[in-house]
Amino acid sequence: INENDCPPTIEFRFLSELKFNEEENRLDLPENYPPEKFFVQILVVDPDYPLTGRTTLWFETNTNETCFQLDFIDQSTYIFNRSTPF
């Protein structure tokens, strides 16, 4: 019986033309970066899958407005991008 004893792993894959600063855990995104182009692919893998290891990823903001969106691609892949210009 699966007891959900394996936590999921989350991997961020940034586009190569963007600069991710690992020391500061910061992505520098140019102000003129096109809203229709995603800037990070997020992979979520749960070793408990396929028994009960299904995952759901979301993000929250502290305001009613956001200029980012998270899109579901497949069972373990999401892309994060802007929904409006900065």
Side-chain angles (χ1 to χ4, degrees):
I1 296 175
N2 187 322
E3 295 180 2
N4 200 20
D5 54 352
C6 298
T9 59
I10 301 174
E11 178 183 347
F12 297 92
R13 294 182 180 172
F14 299 101
L15 294 184
S16 60
E17 70 246 28
L18 300 174
K19 292 185 178 185
F20 177 67
N21 183 326
E22 286 190 49
E23 280 184 22
E24 296 179 14
N25 198 26
R26 184 183 80 212
L27 175 68
D28 292 328
L29 189 62
E31 189 174 320
N32 63 351
Y33 194 77
E36 66 278 358
K37 186 175 182 181
F38 80 93
F39 55 88
V40 63
Q41 179 185 46
I42 305 168
L43 302 172
V44 181
V45 178
D46 188 343
D48 291 328
Y49 185 80
L51 298 176
T52 60
R54 299 183 193 274
T55 60
T56 302
L57 184 65
W58 73 91
F59 77 101
E60 297 178 1
T61 65
N62 57 0
T63 66
N64 291 336
E65 296 182 35
T66 182
C67 58
F68 296 100
Q69 71 185 45
L70 182 69
D71 294 313
F72 176 76
I73 303 301
D74 63 28
Q75 262 182 343
S76 62
T77 309
Y78 299 81
I79 57 171
F80 196 60
N81 64 347
R82 291 180 24 217
S83 55
T84 62
F86 288 134

